[in-house]
Amino acid sequence: MIMSIPEAVGRTRYPGRGIIVAKSGRKLFMAYFIMGRSENSRNRVFEFTDDGIRTKAFVAKLMEDPSLVIYNPVRETNQSIIITNGDQTDTIYEFLKNGKSFYEALEKRSFEPDEPNFTPRISALIDGEKITLSVIRSIDNAGERSLRSFYNYDNLVDGEGYFIHTYSDCSPMLTPFEGEPERLYFKGDFFDFYSRIWDNLDFNNRISLWVREIDTLTGKSREAIANVNTGEFTMRNKEDE
Protein backbone atom coordinates (compact mmCIF):
# COMPACT_ATOMS: atom_id res chain seq x y z
CA MET A 1 0.00 0.00 0.00
CA ILE A 2 1.37 3.40 -1.00
CA MET A 3 0.05 6.52 0.75
CA SER A 4 0.48 10.24 0.34
CA ILE A 5 2.19 12.05 3.21
CA PRO A 6 -1.11 13.58 4.45
CA GLU A 7 -2.74 10.13 4.45
CA ALA A 8 0.14 8.48 6.30
CA VAL A 9 0.69 11.23 8.87
CA GLY A 10 -2.99 11.88 9.49
CA ARG A 11 -4.28 8.33 9.65
CA THR A 12 -3.80 8.17 13.43
CA ARG A 13 -4.26 10.92 15.99
CA TYR A 14 -1.01 10.09 17.74
CA PRO A 15 1.86 8.65 15.65
CA GLY A 16 4.15 9.95 18.42
CA ARG A 17 7.58 10.60 16.92
CA GLY A 18 8.27 10.01 13.26
CA ILE A 19 10.94 9.93 10.57
CA ILE A 20 10.17 10.48 6.88
CA VAL A 21 12.57 10.21 3.95
CA ALA A 22 11.42 10.89 0.37
CA LYS A 23 12.66 11.96 -3.05
CA SER A 24 11.10 14.31 -5.59
CA GLY A 25 13.01 15.06 -8.76
CA ARG A 26 16.66 15.38 -7.80
CA LYS A 27 15.84 16.57 -4.27
CA LEU A 28 16.10 14.28 -1.25
CA PHE A 29 13.82 15.21 1.66
CA MET A 30 13.92 14.13 5.28
CA ALA A 31 11.91 15.02 8.37
CA TYR A 32 11.62 14.31 12.07
CA PHE A 33 8.66 15.30 14.26
CA ILE A 34 7.67 14.98 17.88
CA MET A 35 4.26 14.99 19.50
CA GLY A 36 3.28 15.10 23.17
CA ARG A 37 0.39 14.31 25.48
CA SER A 38 1.93 14.89 28.93
CA GLU A 39 3.06 18.28 30.18
CA ASN A 40 6.65 17.01 30.24
CA SER A 41 6.51 15.94 26.58
CA ARG A 42 4.77 19.11 25.46
CA ASN A 43 7.33 21.32 27.18
CA ARG A 44 9.88 21.12 24.34
CA VAL A 45 11.23 22.91 21.31
CA PHE A 46 13.73 22.06 18.59
CA GLU A 47 16.80 24.23 18.09
CA PHE A 48 19.66 24.09 15.63
CA THR A 49 23.12 22.89 16.68
CA ASP A 50 26.39 22.94 14.75
CA ASP A 51 25.84 19.40 13.46
CA GLY A 52 22.06 19.00 13.56
CA ILE A 53 19.29 19.78 16.04
CA ARG A 54 18.48 19.10 19.67
CA THR A 55 15.39 19.10 21.84
CA LYS A 56 15.30 21.64 24.63
CA ALA A 57 12.94 22.43 27.48
CA PHE A 58 10.72 25.37 26.58
CA VAL A 59 10.30 26.28 30.28
CA ALA A 60 13.24 24.79 32.16
CA LYS A 61 11.59 24.75 35.61
CA LEU A 62 8.67 22.67 34.29
CA MET A 63 10.89 19.86 32.97
CA GLU A 64 10.36 16.90 35.30
CA ASP A 65 12.28 14.03 33.71
CA PRO A 66 14.62 14.77 30.79
CA SER A 67 15.82 11.19 30.29
CA LEU A 68 13.65 10.26 27.28
CA VAL A 69 12.65 13.70 26.02
CA ILE A 70 15.91 15.69 25.82
CA TYR A 71 18.33 14.44 23.16
CA ASN A 72 19.88 15.17 19.76
CA PRO A 73 17.43 13.96 17.09
CA VAL A 74 19.75 14.85 14.19
CA ARG A 75 23.56 14.77 13.89
CA GLU A 76 26.01 14.59 10.99
CA THR A 77 29.34 12.78 10.78
CA ASN A 78 31.51 11.33 8.03
CA GLN A 79 29.12 12.91 5.49
CA SER A 80 26.22 10.86 6.89
CA ILE A 81 23.04 12.20 8.49
CA ILE A 82 21.70 10.43 11.58
CA ILE A 83 18.06 10.86 12.62
CA THR A 84 16.55 9.12 15.67
CA ASN A 85 13.91 9.47 18.36
CA GLY A 86 16.33 9.31 21.30
CA ASP A 87 19.86 9.36 22.62
CA GLN A 88 20.80 6.50 20.29
CA THR A 89 21.70 9.33 17.92
CA ASP A 90 24.84 9.85 19.98
CA THR A 91 25.58 6.11 20.10
CA ILE A 92 25.43 5.91 16.31
CA TYR A 93 27.48 9.10 15.97
CA GLU A 94 30.30 7.75 18.14
CA PHE A 95 30.33 4.38 16.37
CA LEU A 96 30.52 5.98 12.92
CA LYS A 97 33.30 8.33 14.03
CA ASN A 98 35.29 5.30 15.15
CA GLY A 99 34.88 3.41 11.88
CA LYS A 100 32.08 1.14 13.08
CA SER A 101 28.63 0.70 11.59
CA PHE A 102 25.05 1.79 12.13
CA TYR A 103 24.20 -1.86 12.79
CA GLU A 104 26.90 -2.31 15.42
CA ALA A 105 25.74 0.82 17.21
CA LEU A 106 22.13 -0.30 17.44
CA GLU A 107 23.11 -3.77 18.61
CA LYS A 108 24.04 -1.95 21.81
CA ARG A 109 20.63 -0.35 22.21
CA SER A 110 17.14 -1.55 23.07
CA PHE A 111 13.61 -0.10 23.02
CA GLU A 112 12.81 2.65 25.51
CA PRO A 113 12.43 1.58 29.17
CA ASP A 114 9.02 3.25 29.54
CA GLU A 115 6.93 0.31 30.78
CA PRO A 116 4.22 -0.56 29.85
CA ASN A 117 4.63 1.18 26.46
CA PHE A 118 8.17 -0.02 25.66
CA THR A 119 8.29 2.63 22.95
CA PRO A 120 10.24 1.54 19.86
CA ARG A 121 13.52 3.24 19.05
CA ILE A 122 13.37 4.44 15.46
CA SER A 123 16.50 5.49 13.57
CA ALA A 124 17.64 6.48 10.09
CA LEU A 125 21.02 6.81 8.42
CA ILE A 126 21.25 8.80 5.19
CA ASP A 127 24.55 8.19 3.42
CA GLY A 128 24.42 9.98 0.08
CA GLU A 129 21.33 8.46 -1.54
CA LYS A 130 21.55 5.22 0.45
CA ILE A 131 18.90 5.10 3.18
CA THR A 132 18.90 2.69 6.13
CA LEU A 133 15.96 2.65 8.55
CA SER A 134 15.78 0.78 11.85
CA VAL A 135 13.06 -0.05 14.36
CA ILE A 136 13.90 -1.67 17.71
CA ARG A 137 10.82 -3.12 19.41
CA SER A 138 10.01 -5.17 22.48
CA ILE A 139 9.28 -8.73 21.41
CA ASP A 140 7.40 -9.67 24.60
CA ASN A 141 5.02 -8.05 27.07
CA ALA A 142 7.59 -8.17 29.85
CA GLY A 143 10.05 -5.99 28.00
CA GLU A 144 12.86 -8.51 28.28
CA ARG A 145 13.81 -9.07 24.63
CA SER A 146 14.43 -6.77 21.66
CA LEU A 147 13.62 -7.30 18.00
CA ARG A 148 15.94 -5.22 15.78
CA SER A 149 14.77 -4.67 12.20
CA PHE A 150 16.77 -2.93 9.46
CA TYR A 151 15.60 -1.78 6.04
CA ASN A 152 17.96 -0.70 3.26
CA TYR A 153 16.95 1.45 0.30
CA ASP A 154 19.43 2.31 -2.44
CA ASN A 155 18.82 5.37 -4.60
CA LEU A 156 15.19 6.28 -3.99
CA VAL A 157 13.36 6.99 -7.23
CA ASP A 158 11.38 10.11 -8.03
CA GLY A 159 8.19 10.19 -5.96
CA GLU A 160 9.27 7.44 -3.51
CA GLY A 161 9.33 7.77 0.28
CA TYR A 162 9.23 5.87 3.58
CA PHE A 163 7.82 6.60 7.03
CA ILE A 164 8.50 5.05 10.44
CA HIS A 165 6.97 6.22 13.69
CA THR A 166 6.64 5.12 17.31
CA TYR A 167 2.91 4.45 17.67
CA SER A 168 0.15 3.09 15.48
CA ASP A 169 -2.76 4.03 17.73
CA CYS A 170 -3.51 5.64 21.09
CA SER A 171 -6.99 4.38 21.90
CA PRO A 172 -7.53 3.13 24.53
CA MET A 173 -3.76 2.80 25.07
CA LEU A 174 -0.59 3.40 23.05
CA THR A 175 0.08 0.72 20.45
CA PRO A 176 3.72 0.49 19.27
CA PHE A 177 4.43 0.78 15.55
CA GLU A 178 4.47 -2.61 13.83
CA GLY A 179 5.50 -3.94 10.44
CA GLU A 180 7.75 -2.51 7.75
CA PRO A 181 8.27 1.19 7.00
CA GLU A 182 5.20 2.65 5.35
CA ARG A 183 5.62 3.43 1.65
CA LEU A 184 4.89 6.98 0.57
CA TYR A 185 4.37 8.88 -2.65
CA PHE A 186 5.60 12.46 -2.71
CA LYS A 187 6.00 15.00 -5.51
CA GLY A 188 6.65 18.59 -4.56
CA ASP A 189 9.11 21.15 -3.22
CA PHE A 190 10.53 22.01 0.19
CA PHE A 191 7.46 23.87 1.40
CA ASP A 192 5.10 21.18 0.08
CA PHE A 193 7.04 18.59 2.07
CA TYR A 194 6.93 20.71 5.23
CA SER A 195 3.24 21.62 5.00
CA ARG A 196 2.01 18.13 4.13
CA ILE A 197 3.56 16.88 7.36
CA TRP A 198 2.88 19.81 9.71
CA ASP A 199 -0.67 20.49 8.55
CA ASN A 200 -1.68 16.85 9.00
CA LEU A 201 -0.22 16.16 12.43
CA ASP A 202 -2.97 16.28 15.06
CA PHE A 203 -3.30 19.93 16.01
CA ASN A 204 -3.71 19.20 19.72
CA ASN A 205 -0.66 16.95 20.00
CA ARG A 206 1.97 18.23 17.54
CA ILE A 207 5.01 19.88 19.16
CA SER A 208 7.93 20.33 16.75
CA LEU A 209 9.04 19.46 13.21
CA TRP A 210 12.41 19.51 11.44
CA VAL A 211 12.69 19.17 7.66
CA ARG A 212 15.67 19.18 5.30
CA GLU A 213 16.06 19.26 1.52
CA ILE A 214 19.27 18.18 -0.25
CA ASP A 215 19.97 18.72 -3.93
CA THR A 216 21.56 15.42 -4.93
CA LEU A 217 23.32 17.07 -7.89
CA THR A 218 24.90 20.09 -6.18
CA GLY A 219 24.90 18.95 -2.55
CA LYS A 220 23.28 22.21 -1.45
CA SER A 221 20.71 21.92 1.30
CA ARG A 222 18.31 23.89 3.43
CA GLU A 223 16.38 23.00 6.55
CA ALA A 224 13.69 24.39 8.80
CA ILE A 225 12.27 23.98 12.28
CA ALA A 226 8.68 24.62 13.39
CA ASN A 227 7.84 24.87 17.10
CA VAL A 228 4.34 25.10 18.54
CA ASN A 229 5.57 26.56 21.83
CA THR A 230 7.36 29.52 20.25
CA GLY A 231 5.11 29.84 17.23
CA GLU A 232 8.23 30.15 15.10
CA PHE A 233 9.30 28.74 11.74
CA THR A 234 13.08 29.05 11.35
CA MET A 235 15.10 28.27 8.21
CA ARG A 236 18.81 27.63 7.69
CA ASN A 237 20.71 27.28 4.42
CA LYS A 238 23.52 24.83 5.04
CA GLU A 239 25.64 25.95 2.09
CA ASP A 240 25.82 29.47 3.53
CA GLU A 241 27.60 28.37 6.71
Side-chain angles (χ1 to χ4, degrees), residues 5-25:
I5 289 177
E7 288 172 331
V9 168
R11 69 193 303 209
T12 175
R13 188 165 58 88
Y14 198 74
R17 287 161 277 169
I19 298 171
I20 297 175
V21 182
K23 188 176 183 182
S24 180

Side-chain angles (χ1 to χ4, degrees), residues 157-188:
V157 300
D158 183 17
E160 181 181 18
Y162 293 92
F163 178 32
I164 53 177
H165 45 101
T166 53
Y167 306 118
S168 296
D169 198 3
C170 64
S171 178
M173 59 185 294
L174 291 173
T175 303
F177 174 76
E178 296 180 348
E180 297 184 359
E182 296 170 354
R183 295 181 64 194
L184 302 178
Y185 176 80
F186 170 69
K187 290 284 286 182

Side-chain angles (χ1 to χ4, degrees), residues 97-117:
K97 274 189 66 176
N98 289 292
K100 297 183 179 180
S101 71
F102 182 70
Y103 305 93
E104 290 175 293
L106 291 175
E107 282 292 330
K108 301 297 183 182
R109 303 307 306 265
S110 183
F111 46 84
E112 294 185 353
D114 58 340
E115 187 177 0
N117 298 320

Side-chain angles (χ1 to χ4, degrees), residues 150-164:
F150 296 90
Y151 307 90
N152 298 311
Y153 305 95
D154 292 334
N155 300 321
L156 298 186
V157 300
D158 183 17
E160 181 181 18
Y162 293 92
F163 178 32
I164 53 177

Side-chain angles (χ1 to χ4, degrees), residues 5-7 9-12 195-203 206:
I5 289 177
E7 288 172 331
V9 168
R11 69 193 303 209
T12 175
S195 64
R196 291 178 195 179
I197 300 171
W198 190 241
D199 293 349
N200 289 282
L201 289 170
D202 183 79
F203 183 81
R206 66 184 186 182

Side-chain angles (χ1 to χ4, degrees), residues 110-111 118 137-146:
S110 183
F111 46 84
F118 300 125
R137 307 172 175 90
S138 172
I139 202 171
D140 57 49
N141 292 330
E144 296 177 348
R145 294 186 298 151
S146 294

Side-chain angles (χ1 to χ4, degrees), residues 81-132:
I81 302 167
I82 306 159
I83 309 170
T84 90
N85 71 326
D87 62 9
Q88 73 267 30
T89 307
D90 297 330
T91 305
I92 297 166
Y93 179 87
E94 293 300 328
F95 270 64
L96 294 180
K97 274 189 66 176
N98 289 292
K100 297 183 179 180
S101 71
F102 182 70
Y103 305 93
E104 290 175 293
L106 291 175
E107 282 292 330
K108 301 297 183 182
R109 303 307 306 265
S110 183
F111 46 84
E112 294 185 353
D114 58 340
E115 187 177 0
N117 298 320
F118 300 125
T119 299
R121 288 194 187 271
I122 57 173
S123 307
L125 181 69
I126 294 90
D127 186 3
E129 292 190 60
K130 180 179 180 180
I131 314 298
T132 306

